[in-house]
Amino acid sequence: MKKSSIKTKILLSILGTTFIASCFLSLVLILMARMDFKLIAEHYLLGLEQSGIAYFDNTITSTVDSLANSLVNPVYYDDFDFIRKQLAIIEDQPIVDSVVLLDPEASIRQEGSRTFARLGTEVDISLEDMESLRQGNLVMNVSDGQRTAMKGIFLGDELLGILSMTSQPYAMSAIIQDIYQEVQDETQKIITVYALGAAAIILALMVFAAIAAWLTAERLVRPISLLKKQAEHMGSGNLHVDNRIEREDELGDLAKSIYTMAADLELQNRSVKYLAFHDPLTGIANRSSFQMDLEDQIVRAAEQGDFCALLFIDVDDFKSINDAAGHDHGDRALKLIADRISEAVNESFEPGELQPSIARIGGDEFTVLVPGNRSEAQLRHIVERILEILSRPLMVEGDLHQVSGSIGISLYPRDGDTASSLLNAADRAMYHSKFAGKGTYRFYDASMTSEDQSSHRIKTEFKAALSNPNELELLYQPIVNIKTGEIYGGEALMRWHHPKLGTIEPGQFISVVEHNEIALAADLWVIESTLDFLETINLSQHPNFVVSANISASNLVREQFPEAVSRLLEQSPVNPKH
């Protein structure tokens, strides 16, 4: 069907009024209609622009906030391959121009692009913005129509990095500009037509001219008022807009453009929301979604007098799969592991029951939120089922891997009444299960917190003792030839003389040192001190004299340990055979 333009409709209306309208009333009504039309059109366009920009700002800030929270563990463990994949996924979104990860000094540490052309480049961030970022705030800057949102990535109170996303809403700006220009053009056409009509209807009759002019103005204003309401709905977040303006003219085209824009924005909004609350690798919930589910479950349990259980699962030695086969291979393994955990958990719940929430909150860390009043025996069954299915051989692209899991369990309200306290309790219990031999589980109890605090104090003060020659001492237990009674060597034994606590028994600190990063420094100190001791002995008179030292098992798999020992031996005049 051929379109009839607004100009044609107005001309036909004016030609009809020339027979019965008077020039004076016709001119007055025409001027009033023109003013009303311009005011309504300008108000509608202003509302549309403000609503569109507000929607873009909300989308950018929510995306940055969610992505920053999901990158805490990858940034802490320097999982740059995973970080780059996450940045690339977000950068592919139509509204995103670029997204980069900055270190705490505002230098680019990782970016979504595969060229890595800007790595190490320092980004100019004002002192005020940097201070706001360190306080955990989200910072939004607007310059020349370009929006940059930044959010700090924290582990506890430590700033690990800064996520920066830059967006230039070209699509929204282009649509608004086109609509604005179209309305301006049509407004000018209408003004021109009304001016010609005023001259043509000077001799028309008064009553018919008034009625015709009023009907014409109403015909123009009504669809624009409807478009204004639709724009207000879009600005409030309701992107479901019905195209109720069925006209075969320029205003009909304008209505169709707005309807198409709303549909496109709703589709993009769904995509952003999915990325905000789901782990893109495994498809299960991410850390942000888990946090909300846990808080909702605590509120529900408090209102109904129920309790709930939180399972914190860590895949044991998963790093070995990444090191041996690469991160892509490891990602496929994580997908299979997530499927196995979901299978093991879901089989314990019947349809109609409150369902569990399964999430991946970090590299190889998963959580399971078990709702309802489950007995300890039922929880043990679920946990043991997870461990059993995880222990099965894992086939990834023809390669067979053997994995296991360590699980910590905390209960609401026994172990905490907030999301953070429950998560911390389950995390502590998980680490205790790892120290117990891996592939097992532990329920949290209060003694774990005091043990962890004691271990942290020992680790901190032992690290300081390594640089204080008066605190650490080596004693040498003789090694005797039973047949001859000859002393042919000694075993180096470390003793710690704390300035306040006195002599600390080895059993109190050795196990803590062995399970922490200071094990490397401690073993190197023992070897260096032993070499110094051997220099004081006349080894020419005791050519077969040897000294042995106990080495932490964790150092035997550290690549830097053999190199460090070799440097100590090269710097010492003592023959390594001793």
Side-chain angles (χ1 to χ4, degrees), residues 454-455 458-459 496 501-513:
S454 176
S455 297
I458 289 175
K459 183 181 76 171
W496 183 8
L501 302 177
T503 300
I504 300 178
E505 293 297 326
Q508 294 180 262
F509 68 88
I510 292 297
S511 61
V512 176
V513 172

mmCIF file of all heavy atoms in Angstrom, residues 454-455 458-459 496 501-513:
data_model
loop_
_atom_site.group_PDB
_atom_site.id
_atom_site.type_symbol
_atom_site.label_atom_id
_atom_site.label_comp_id
_atom_site.label_asym_id
_atom_site.label_seq_id
_atom_site.Cartn_x
_atom_site.Cartn_y
_atom_site.Cartn_z
ATOM 1 N N SER A 454 46.756 -18.953 65.046
ATOM 2 C CA SER A 454 48.055 -19.311 65.606
ATOM 3 C C SER A 454 49.063 -19.594 64.491
ATOM 4 O O SER A 454 50.216 -19.162 64.555
ATOM 5 C CB SER A 454 47.906 -20.542 66.506
ATOM 6 O OG SER A 454 49.162 -20.965 66.990
ATOM 7 N N SER A 455 48.612 -20.310 63.452
ATOM 8 C CA SER A 455 49.501 -20.608 62.320
ATOM 9 C C SER A 455 49.940 -19.343 61.614
ATOM 10 O O SER A 455 51.102 -19.208 61.209
ATOM 11 C CB SER A 455 48.784 -21.543 61.328
ATOM 12 O OG SER A 455 48.493 -22.778 61.935
ATOM 13 N N ILE A 458 52.601 -17.684 63.738
ATOM 14 C CA ILE A 458 53.876 -18.405 63.638
ATOM 15 C C ILE A 458 54.548 -18.111 62.299
ATOM 16 O O ILE A 458 55.759 -17.851 62.231
ATOM 17 C CB ILE A 458 53.643 -19.919 63.819
ATOM 18 C CG1 ILE A 458 53.298 -20.221 65.273
ATOM 19 C CG2 ILE A 458 54.881 -20.711 63.392
ATOM 20 C CD1 ILE A 458 52.928 -21.667 65.525
ATOM 21 N N LYS A 459 53.760 -18.146 61.211
ATOM 22 C CA LYS A 459 54.327 -17.894 59.884
ATOM 23 C C LYS A 459 54.931 -16.492 59.809
ATOM 24 O O LYS A 459 56.040 -16.302 59.301
ATOM 25 C CB LYS A 459 53.241 -18.058 58.820
ATOM 26 C CG LYS A 459 53.768 -17.894 57.403
ATOM 27 C CD LYS A 459 52.681 -18.024 56.379
ATOM 28 C CE LYS A 459 51.814 -16.794 56.311
ATOM 29 N NZ LYS A 459 50.880 -16.808 55.174
ATOM 30 N N TRP A 496 64.360 -22.732 67.400
ATOM 31 C CA TRP A 496 63.879 -21.337 67.333
ATOM 32 C C TRP A 496 63.794 -20.794 68.752
ATOM 33 O O TRP A 496 63.016 -21.284 69.580
ATOM 34 C CB TRP A 496 62.521 -21.289 66.648
ATOM 35 C CG TRP A 496 61.958 -19.902 66.467
ATOM 36 C CD1 TRP A 496 62.571 -18.718 66.695
ATOM 37 C CD2 TRP A 496 60.640 -19.590 65.995
ATOM 38 N NE1 TRP A 496 61.742 -17.668 66.398
ATOM 39 C CE2 TRP A 496 60.543 -18.166 65.963
ATOM 40 C CE3 TRP A 496 59.554 -20.326 65.577
ATOM 41 C CZ2 TRP A 496 59.393 -17.513 65.550
ATOM 42 C CZ3 TRP A 496 58.403 -19.675 65.169
ATOM 43 C CH2 TRP A 496 58.330 -18.287 65.154
ATOM 44 N N LEU A 501 58.619 -15.619 73.612
ATOM 45 C CA LEU A 501 58.025 -16.904 73.982
ATOM 46 C C LEU A 501 59.065 -17.936 74.402
ATOM 47 O O LEU A 501 58.716 -19.043 74.806
ATOM 48 C CB LEU A 501 57.195 -17.455 72.802
ATOM 49 C CG LEU A 501 56.070 -16.549 72.300
ATOM 50 C CD1 LEU A 501 55.383 -17.175 71.102
ATOM 51 C CD2 LEU A 501 55.060 -16.279 73.412
ATOM 52 N N GLY A 502 60.322 -17.577 74.267
ATOM 53 C CA GLY A 502 61.379 -18.538 74.602
ATOM 54 C C GLY A 502 61.565 -19.552 73.491
ATOM 55 O O GLY A 502 61.217 -19.323 72.331
ATOM 56 N N THR A 503 62.113 -20.724 73.834
ATOM 57 C CA THR A 503 62.366 -21.759 72.825
ATOM 58 C C THR A 503 61.046 -22.400 72.407
ATOM 59 O O THR A 503 60.273 -22.869 73.237
ATOM 60 C CB THR A 503 63.306 -22.841 73.388
ATOM 61 O OG1 THR A 503 64.534 -22.235 73.758
ATOM 62 C CG2 THR A 503 63.544 -23.916 72.339
ATOM 63 N N ILE A 504 60.793 -22.391 71.100
ATOM 64 C CA ILE A 504 59.577 -22.978 70.539
ATOM 65 C C ILE A 504 59.921 -24.357 69.994
ATOM 66 O O ILE A 504 60.868 -24.516 69.210
ATOM 67 C CB ILE A 504 58.997 -22.089 69.424
ATOM 68 C CG1 ILE A 504 58.660 -20.712 69.994
ATOM 69 C CG2 ILE A 504 57.772 -22.723 68.799
ATOM 70 C CD1 ILE A 504 58.130 -19.724 68.956
ATOM 71 N N GLU A 505 59.153 -25.350 70.403
ATOM 72 C CA GLU A 505 59.421 -26.724 69.989
ATOM 73 C C GLU A 505 59.232 -26.861 68.468
ATOM 74 O O GLU A 505 58.335 -26.245 67.875
ATOM 75 C CB GLU A 505 58.476 -27.685 70.708
ATOM 76 C CG GLU A 505 58.715 -27.788 72.204
ATOM 77 C CD GLU A 505 60.097 -28.352 72.512
ATOM 78 O OE1 GLU A 505 60.570 -29.212 71.745
ATOM 79 O OE2 GLU A 505 60.699 -27.913 73.500
ATOM 80 N N PRO A 506 60.075 -27.679 67.822
ATOM 81 C CA PRO A 506 59.949 -27.865 66.366
ATOM 82 C C PRO A 506 58.551 -28.302 65.947
ATOM 83 O O PRO A 506 58.059 -27.909 64.883
ATOM 84 C CB PRO A 506 61.004 -28.931 66.058
ATOM 85 C CG PRO A 506 62.002 -28.799 67.157
ATOM 86 C CD PRO A 506 61.245 -28.402 68.380
ATOM 87 N N GLY A 507 57.908 -29.116 66.749
ATOM 88 C CA GLY A 507 56.579 -29.589 66.386
ATOM 89 C C GLY A 507 55.546 -28.483 66.287
ATOM 90 O O GLY A 507 54.499 -28.658 65.656
ATOM 91 N N GLN A 508 55.837 -27.319 66.889
ATOM 92 C CA GLN A 508 54.897 -26.214 66.867
ATOM 93 C C GLN A 508 55.028 -25.352 65.616
ATOM 94 O O GLN A 508 54.078 -24.660 65.260
ATOM 95 C CB GLN A 508 55.090 -25.320 68.106
ATOM 96 C CG GLN A 508 54.733 -25.994 69.422
ATOM 97 C CD GLN A 508 54.942 -25.048 70.593
ATOM 98 O OE1 GLN A 508 55.952 -25.090 71.274
ATOM 99 N NE2 GLN A 508 53.972 -24.181 70.815
ATOM 100 N N PHE A 509 56.211 -25.382 64.987
ATOM 101 C CA PHE A 509 56.365 -24.484 63.835
ATOM 102 C C PHE A 509 56.760 -25.170 62.534
ATOM 103 O O PHE A 509 56.537 -24.630 61.456
ATOM 104 C CB PHE A 509 57.384 -23.374 64.150
ATOM 105 C CG PHE A 509 58.818 -23.835 64.297
ATOM 106 C CD1 PHE A 509 59.657 -23.922 63.188
ATOM 107 C CD2 PHE A 509 59.336 -24.171 65.540
ATOM 108 C CE1 PHE A 509 60.978 -24.318 63.314
ATOM 109 C CE2 PHE A 509 60.654 -24.573 65.675
ATOM 110 C CZ PHE A 509 61.479 -24.661 64.560
ATOM 111 N N ILE A 510 57.346 -26.381 62.606
ATOM 112 C CA ILE A 510 57.810 -27.038 61.377
ATOM 113 C C ILE A 510 56.654 -27.297 60.420
ATOM 114 O O ILE A 510 56.738 -27.029 59.210
ATOM 115 C CB ILE A 510 58.544 -28.352 61.706
ATOM 116 C CG1 ILE A 510 59.861 -28.066 62.423
ATOM 117 C CG2 ILE A 510 58.805 -29.152 60.428
ATOM 118 C CD1 ILE A 510 60.852 -27.287 61.598
ATOM 119 N N SER A 511 55.528 -27.830 60.931
ATOM 120 C CA SER A 511 54.399 -28.149 60.051
ATOM 121 C C SER A 511 53.812 -26.897 59.407
ATOM 122 O O SER A 511 53.369 -26.927 58.255
ATOM 123 C CB SER A 511 53.309 -28.893 60.829
ATOM 124 O OG SER A 511 52.822 -28.085 61.898
ATOM 125 N N VAL A 512 53.815 -25.770 60.154
ATOM 126 C CA VAL A 512 53.302 -24.517 59.594
ATOM 127 C C VAL A 512 54.211 -24.020 58.482
ATOM 128 O O VAL A 512 53.756 -23.606 57.417
ATOM 129 C CB VAL A 512 53.170 -23.448 60.700
ATOM 130 C CG1 VAL A 512 52.734 -22.106 60.097
ATOM 131 C CG2 VAL A 512 52.181 -23.897 61.758
ATOM 132 N N VAL A 513 55.519 -24.081 58.729
ATOM 133 C CA VAL A 513 56.487 -23.621 57.724
ATOM 134 C C VAL A 513 56.398 -24.461 56.457
ATOM 135 O O VAL A 513 56.427 -23.945 55.333
ATOM 136 C CB VAL A 513 57.917 -23.660 58.311
ATOM 137 C CG1 VAL A 513 58.952 -23.370 57.219
ATOM 138 C CG2 VAL A 513 58.044 -22.658 59.448
#
